Amino acid sequence: MSNPNESYWNFEQVQDWCQQLAATHSEWISLSEIGTTKEGRSIWILTLGHNPESTPALWLDALTHASEWAGMMGLIHTIDQWVDWTQEERGQRWFQENTIYCVPCVSPDGLESLMRGDAFLRSTTRDAKEGVRRIGFEPCDVDNNGKVLWMRWKDPAGPYVSDDASAYGLRKRRLDDAPEDAFFVSYEGKFLEWDGVRWIQAPLKHGVDLNRNFPVRWAPFEMFGMDGGVYSLSEPEARALMDAVSERSNVVAAMTLHTYTGALLTQPYNANTDLPKSDISMLQGMAEQLVSGTGYKVFRVHPDFTYDPKQSIVGVWADCLSSTLGIPAYTLEVWDPFKWAGLQIKEPARFFMEPKEHIVAALLSKASNDGELLLWETFDHPQLGPVEIGGIDYLRTIRNPPLSHLPVECEHTFSILDKIRMSLPKIQVQVSVKALEGDVYRIVVCFENHGYLSTAGLQRALDLKLTKETHAELKCDASVSVVSGKIVQDVPALDGWGQWQSQSAKNLLYPSLPADGHRQSMEWVVSGVGEVEVHWTCSRSGSGVEKIAVGGNAEHQLRLF
């Protein structure tokens, strides 16, 4: 199997890698199916960790959008790096104390479609909505070379003209340009139900955008000919992700990988967000740390990364994870083609709605200079007659990096994912037993969180009552009885030090302690000599059993990490 930072894999290669990884490391990596696609392909999830039922977990997924291969390859590369890390004692210990869930390919049907040379699609191969009649031009690989490139033909009504000064031989038409120099330009393809006269675009064959199909502010959505599904979670891939996270109550942080712009997207997603300011500030602060050293930028989706500031962003997976499930979550946009072309774009999302000609020219010129622009070649089109086919391979230049740049993007991805791995809550349990008189003892259990994140993830999770409270239950053998203290005791979620950096520790000129804190304790008084057990659960951040000998030594203390 090829190195994940040297090529773009099809679904079979991704599936083989998953199966081989789980078979080779079966003692701590497992593979299971969380759903199937319309075409019957499996949506696989890898679970990395020795104790997934009792440790905090990081959720990672890629390829919600089927053409965004660099995110998938960066995730695969990262998993390989972590597997190698377990050759060290520190790596082994980390995966004993933490878990990672990884869905490397959310849209396998779409991936396979693109890898066999079909036209660009957003996510899956779901057919056009019922009632949509597809008449007009449909992109396809008309010359059977395995890629859908550009196609141009001369016509006096065309909106482009030839330009020998341009590296790609085209520019937008101006009022004083000669009609005989005009061209129509489209992706290569054919007309459906053509009447021999009109040159119009057909509605998309596969128009669903999975990243508008999740249950957060969902509403009917259309943009660029795409839709957000007929209702929230109408698509099997979206349903599989939502169910999988909901069933894994230990997920306390998440990242979903996309392309492109070389940026980490954070909250808020809308002007009237449901998240409290404390969550938004904490996420912003962590995002800045995650991208450090990569050259990637951090954007708040609203107002800095919106296609249309007047249109609400609906149904986005990362927003669903945070706003609906209370999990700190980000969207990572791997690869910055603008930087590749020597450009600095302050608002990259606006480019999609208001493309500037000099930006387009710079991207195409860079592609030409790097040998990624294919020269125009004459082709006898079955409907239009003589046309020319050429231009760029969009999927391997703009949407994803050329292969020569993939290793660097994989390393950037690893750097960011490795840092978010470090953000998980880290619970320390301290148990002390003190003799009072005779065979009477006081047992004190203290929980401390030494991690960046709260044991609940976000304040939003607490507001919605989505997490279990931290609690401990004392279980005694027949020779020990409880004198005082509730058998089951609850304490609030434990703060992480990261949230203080946007609150009490925000300004060193005005130092302060937090309102709640990272430590909580509970106690019991028991009588007798024998053994007791403290069974504890700490929100989304782990659980355990502490066995304590009562009697014998008058006083002892046990620290567990």
Side-chain angles (χ1 to χ4, degrees):
M1 185 175 293
S2 61
N3 192 309
N5 63 10
E6 295 178 349
S7 63
Y8 293 118
W9 291 358
N10 60 29
F11 178 65
E12 183 178 358
Q13 290 172 298
V14 175
Q15 183 170 254
D16 288 347
W17 172 79
C18 289
Q19 293 170 343
Q20 181 177 333
L21 195 69
T24 304
H25 305 281
S26 58
E27 70 280 8
W28 68 283
I29 298 179
S30 63
L31 179 66
S32 56
E33 182 185 86
I34 60 172
T36 56
T37 67
K38 184 189 77 170
E39 296 182 11
R41 293 185 177 89
S42 295
I43 303 171
W44 295 111
I45 186 169
L46 286 163
T47 300
L48 288 76
H50 292 273
N51 302 293
E53 302 300 323
S54 59
T55 54
L58 171 64
W59 175 277
L60 302 170
D61 64 63
L63 217 79
T64 301
H65 293 149
S67 62
E68 298 174 359
W69 309 330
M72 179 181 73
M73 301 314 299
L75 177 52
I76 291 171
H77 170 74
T78 297
I79 298 298
D80 280 348
Q81 296 302 301
W82 285 335
V83 170
D84 290 344
W85 182 45
T86 61
Q87 300 303 308
E88 303 176 19
E89 191 276 334
R90 193 161 58 99
Q92 293 176 15
R93 185 172 67 251
W94 194 90
F95 279 102
Q96 289 170 350
E97 299 173 350
N98 301 274
T99 299
I100 290 177
Y101 299 115
C102 170
V103 181
C105 185
V106 175
S107 302
D109 291 353
L111 174 62
E112 279 302 281
S113 175
L114 292 172
M115 284 295 173
R116 64 175 174 254
D118 293 344
F120 177 84
L121 54 79
R122 186 63 161 166
S123 294
T124 77
T125 57
R126 189 215 69 183
D127 293 331
K129 285 184 176 180
E130 185 177 354
V132 174
R133 186 180 178 190
R134 301 189 64 249
I135 298 175
F137 187 81
E138 177 179 64
C140 64
D141 179 18
V142 71
D143 61 353
N144 297 316
N145 72 343
K147 299 177 181 180
V148 178
L149 301 174
W150 293 353
M151 186 170 75
R152 70 179 188 179
W153 63 97
K154 279 197 168 186
D155 189 273
Y160 297 91
V161 294
S162 58
D163 183 359
D164 293 338
S166 165
Y168 50 95
L170 288 170
R171 62 168 170 80
K172 283 186 176 181
R173 184 177 177 178
R174 301 169 186 153
L175 289 172
D176 57 354
D177 285 324
E180 58 268 24
D181 293 331
F183 282 89
F184 274 91
V185 181
S186 70
Y187 286 110
E188 62 177 295
K190 299 178 182 179
F191 289 94
L192 303 175
E193 299 186 30
W194 193 38
D195 60 6
V197 177
R198 293 194 303 164
W199 296 341
I200 60 173
Q201 196 75 25
L204 293 177
K205 181 178 181 181
H206 307 301
V208 70
D209 184 346
L210 283 183
N211 210 30
R212 296 294 184 273
N213 192 233
F214 292 94
V216 56
R217 298 181 180 274
W218 190 90
F221 165 87
E222 287 191 6
M223 184 176 287
F224 306 129
M226 297 175 289
D227 64 81
V230 295
Y231 54 85
S232 176
L233 299 180
S234 61
E235 307 309 306
E237 296 86 353
R239 171 69 69 177
L241 290 186
M242 188 68 182
D243 288 348
V245 172
S246 299
E247 291 165 2
R248 290 161 174 79
S249 60
N250 58 334
V251 173
V252 72
M255 190 171 294
T256 178
L257 283 78
H258 291 248
T259 68
Y260 58 96
T261 60
L264 190 62
L265 307 185
T266 186
Q267 293 283 348
Y269 274 71
N270 289 280
N272 55 341
T273 179
D274 293 323
L275 294 183
K277 290 182 179 180
S278 60
D279 285 344
I280 293 172
S281 296
M282 187 277 292
L283 287 166
Q284 175 78 23
M286 184 161 74
E288 298 289 351
Q289 295 188 50
L290 294 177
V291 302
S292 176
T294 65
Y296 279 29
K297 300 175 287 291
V298 173
F299 290 110
R300 294 189 178 197
V301 174
H302 179 86
D304 302 324
F305 204 88
T306 59
Y307 300 133
D308 182 354
K310 297 180 181 179
Q311 185 174 6
S312 294
I313 296 179
V314 302
V316 174
W317 178 223
D319 189 23
C320 174
L321 285 162
S322 294
S323 298
T324 304
L325 299 177
I327 297 170
Y330 299 96
T331 300
L332 176 59
E333 299 282 357
V334 177
W335 171 236
D336 187 354
F338 304 111
K339 186 176 181 180
W340 172 61
L343 301 167
Q344 291 291 332
I345 308 297
K346 291 183 178 180
E347 296 179 305
R350 298 289 177 89
F351 168 77
F352 302 112
M353 299 296 291
E354 302 172 2
K356 303 297 184 182
E357 191 166 3
H358 76 279
I359 296 177
V360 175
L363 290 168
L364 293 173
S365 294
K366 178 61 175 175
S368 176
N369 294 338
D370 283 13
E372 302 292 344
L373 192 69
L374 302 179
L375 298 177
W376 297 104
E377 294 186 0
T378 301
F379 178 75
D380 188 17
H381 193 276
Q383 294 167 318
L384 296 172
V387 300
E388 293 176 288
I389 295 177
I392 63 168
D393 182 355
Y394 168 76
L395 295 179
R396 295 169 179 83
T397 50
I398 307 300
R399 180 61 63 175
N400 301 284
L403 286 177
S404 60
H405 292 264
L406 181 59
V408 172
E409 297 307 313
C410 285
E411 283 303 313
H412 289 337
T413 302
F414 169 69
S415 175
I416 292 169
L417 297 187
D418 201 45
K419 286 176 184 172
I420 196 172
R421 172 190 65 79
M422 300 175 192
S423 73
L424 299 188
K426 183 175 178 60
I427 302 303
Q428 173 184 305
V429 183
Q430 176 182 309
V431 179
S432 66
V433 181
K434 183 176 182 179
L436 298 179
E437 57 181 27
D439 289 333
V440 179
Y441 301 87
R442 175 181 288 114
I443 299 173
V444 179
V445 179
C446 182
F447 294 93
E448 296 185 24
N449 177 17
H450 291 182
Y452 184 98
L453 291 172
S454 158
T455 58
L458 294 177
Q459 178 62 39
R460 175 69 173 167
L462 297 175
D463 293 344
L464 295 176
K465 296 180 172 56
L466 294 174
T467 66
K468 300 175 182 178
E469 292 293 313
T470 303
H471 70 269
E473 179 181 0
L474 184 69
K475 296 185 177 182
C476 305
D477 65 22
S479 62
V480 179
S481 61
V482 177
V483 175
S484 66
K486 293 182 178 179
I487 299 298
V488 178
Q489 299 187 31
D490 295 331
V491 295
L494 305 179
D495 287 352
W497 59 267
Q499 67 194 99
W500 301 338
Q501 293 188 335
S502 60
Q503 299 175 30
S504 60
K506 186 175 184 178
N507 189 339
L508 186 57
L509 294 176
Y510 305 99
S512 176
L513 293 178
D516 295 316
H518 72 297
R519 307 178 74 193
Q520 296 289 345
S521 66
M522 55 199 69
E523 66 177 63
W524 298 267
V525 175
V526 301
S527 176
V529 176
E531 185 176 83
V532 300
E533 293 181 347
V534 177
H535 294 245
W536 60 270
T537 298
C538 203
S539 292
R540 290 170 162 166
S541 305
S543 60
V545 177
E546 315 305 334
K547 295 183 178 182
I548 306 164
V550 177
N553 294 334
E555 184 174 345
H556 68 270
Q557 189 175 78
L558 173 65
R559 282 186 176 272
L560 297 172
F561 295 87

